[in-house]
Amino acid sequence: MQQLSEKNEITAVLNTNQYTERFGLVLSEEEAKLLVQERFESLKEQQRVEFGKGILDKLIYAFCDSAYIFQDNYVDVITRLQEIFYLYKNESMDELTDDELIGYMKDAFENECRGSLDYLEDICLELFAREIRERTRKFIGRYRIDE
């Protein structure tokens, strides 16, 4: 079952080439396999389970037009973005949809972070996740029933 899922994911990643080549970014089959394997590693590391299609192709489509991604760093950047995504999906207590988190990541990466993955992960997303957790605690605390 996992082999079929992995094969479908690789195909989906390779299909992104039709769009991303206009930005000078193309993945080989080996690179697509590596990205998919990294997805499973990230999920395992973050203790997450994902049913169906992952977020890899969404990340590729969202970030392929970045001023900070080039063919030379493409695989490394997408790999790291995927790791950061799953980490902050947990850190934000799953309060955001995948699209909301990816949208915030892209905006911060392009603007405030100016292409720095470290700044995105360590500063921007940490502050963002902290705000989400704080709002969630306040909301939950408002409806707590004390005995």
Side-chain angles (χ1 to χ4, degrees):
M1 184 75 161
Q2 183 177 347
Q3 285 180 326
L4 181 61
S5 172
E6 190 173 327
K7 186 174 175 115
N8 289 339
E9 189 79 14
I10 291 168
T11 300
V13 169
L14 287 172
N15 287 339
T16 65
N17 284 338
Q18 295 171 358
Y19 181 77
T20 63
E21 67 186 351
R22 70 184 75 176
F23 304 104
L25 303 173
V26 177
L27 294 167
S28 69
E29 188 167 345
E30 283 303 309
E31 291 169 328
K33 286 179 185 176
L34 175 67
L35 287 171
V36 170
Q37 289 169 350
E38 290 294 329
R39 170 187 173 228
F40 291 115
E41 288 300 314
S42 292
L43 288 168
K44 185 176 172 182
E45 185 177 316
Q46 295 301 321
Q47 300 179 355
R48 295 190 64 84
V49 176
E50 203 168 50
F51 298 101
K53 194 171 115 178
I55 52 90
L56 190 51
D57 60 334
K58 284 185 177 188
L59 283 172
I60 290 170
Y61 286 123
F63 283 85
C64 68
D65 64 347
S66 172
Y68 303 102
I69 300 177
F70 310 97
Q71 184 65 44
D72 293 347
N73 69 358
Y74 186 32
V75 174
D76 293 335
V77 170
I78 296 299
T79 298
R80 183 88 184 279
L81 287 169
Q82 185 172 227
E83 292 168 359
I84 292 169
F85 173 87
Y86 289 121
L87 171 65
Y88 280 95
K89 192 72 171 166
N90 282 348
E91 291 294 316
S92 64
M93 300 169 51
D94 285 309
E95 290 291 318
L96 301 168
T97 66
D98 293 352
D99 291 339
E100 289 170 331
L101 181 53
I102 291 170
Y104 180 81
M105 288 172 63
K106 172 67 188 290
D107 183 60
F109 182 77
E110 289 299 314
N111 297 301
E112 186 177 350
C113 301
R114 295 188 176 138
S116 171
L117 292 165
D118 290 335
Y119 195 78
L120 176 67
E121 180 178 7
D122 298 336
I123 306 298
C124 294
L125 284 168
E126 178 58 36
L127 292 171
F128 186 61
R130 189 177 304 151
E131 287 178 23
I132 290 168
R133 289 190 304 266
E134 195 57 35
R135 273 189 275 144
T136 300
R137 275 192 216 109
K138 287 178 183 173
F139 176 78
I140 292 170
R142 192 178 307 158
Y143 296 98
R144 184 176 34 227
I145 300 172
D146 295 350
E147 294 180 32

